[in-house]
């Protein structure tokens, strides 16, 4: 079963040069988003693009509040909001607004499994998210991490 496989640490990718940014995956709402977040975590770790990925045990606004209250050295460098279905467009927009407020715009990304039309509409909403990366496929998160930069190296 997929969830059994997710309990194991993914194998190291030979020759991978992952950076040390702290990635936090926040399920937007519910158990399915959490499972999808665990799956995305494995994709990122297996790709070797990053070495530190955490999936929040809480979801939505609670997870963002918890992450925002961490000490500066423990705050995530990139926040990826994960949604697979069932979340209202306005609710997703509100969660994105909160993530943008808590974290720099270039450090927030959304993986949303909705149809291409719905994702385009959500991405065009006036939610102060012009710097937020949107995509529909978990594997696209590797490109999203390139979008998010390398943290302090860009200063």
């Amino acid at each position: 079963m997929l969830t059994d496989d997710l309990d194991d640490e993914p194998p190291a990718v030979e020759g991978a040069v992952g950076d040390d940014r702290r990635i936090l995956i926040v399920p937007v709402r519910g158990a399915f988003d959490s499972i999808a977040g665990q799956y995305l975590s494995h994709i990122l770790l297996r790709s070797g693009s990053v070495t530190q990925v955490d999936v929040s045990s809480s979801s939505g606004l609670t997870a963002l509040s918890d992450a925002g209250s961490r000490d500066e050295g423990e705050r995530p460098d990139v926040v990826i909001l994960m949604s697979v279905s069932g979340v209202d467009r306005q609710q997703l927009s509100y969660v994105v607004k909160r993530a943008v407020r808590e974290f720099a715009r270039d450090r927030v990304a959304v993986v949303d499994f909705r149809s291409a039309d719905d994702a385009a509409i959500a991405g065009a909403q006036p939610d102060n998210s012009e710097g937020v990366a949107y995509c529909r496929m978990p594997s696209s998160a590797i490109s999203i991490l390139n979008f998010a930069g390398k943290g302090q190296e860009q200063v």
Side-chain angles (χ1 to χ4, degrees):
M1 182 182 249
L2 174 64
T3 55
D4 294 335
D5 292 339
L6 294 177
D7 290 336
D8 300 329
E9 277 296 312
V13 177
E14 189 174 325
V17 184
D19 62 52
D20 61 352
R21 288 179 293 166
R22 289 175 306 280
I23 310 301
L24 176 64
I25 299 172
V26 174
V28 174
R29 183 182 88 173
F32 289 117
D33 290 352
S34 182
I35 291 168
Q38 292 171 10
Y39 176 67
L40 175 59
S41 170
H42 271 55
I43 289 172
L44 297 175
L45 290 170
R46 282 181 185 259
S47 74
S49 57
V50 294
T51 58
Q52 299 180 52
V53 181
D54 183 30
V55 180
S56 178
S57 58
S58 53
S59 63
L61 299 176
T62 302
L64 292 172
S65 177
D66 291 345
S69 66
R70 294 179 184 176
D71 291 334
E72 190 60 37
E74 296 179 8
R75 286 174 56 97
D77 297 309
V78 178
V79 174
I80 300 176
L81 303 173
M82 173 61 79
S83 175
V84 295
S85 67
V87 65
D88 172 278
R89 193 178 312 152
Q90 288 180 324
Q91 181 182 1
L92 179 61
S93 177
Y94 189 72
V95 173
V96 169
K97 284 180 192 177
R98 178 67 61 89
V100 167
R101 190 174 73 201
E102 286 286 334
F103 305 96
R105 283 192 178 129
D106 62 346
R107 297 178 354 176
V108 177
V110 179
V111 178
D112 186 359
F113 279 57
R114 290 190 273 189
S115 74
D117 292 341
D118 285 347
I121 291 168
Q125 295 298 309
D127 60 4
N128 298 321
S129 64
E130 53 274 354
V132 176
Y134 285 85
C135 75
R136 292 183 53 232
M137 301 301 297
S139 57
S140 298
I142 295 167
S143 297
I144 285 176
L145 289 177
N146 292 335
F147 158 84
K150 301 280 187 189
Q152 298 299 326
E153 294 175 14
Q154 290 187 336
V155 175

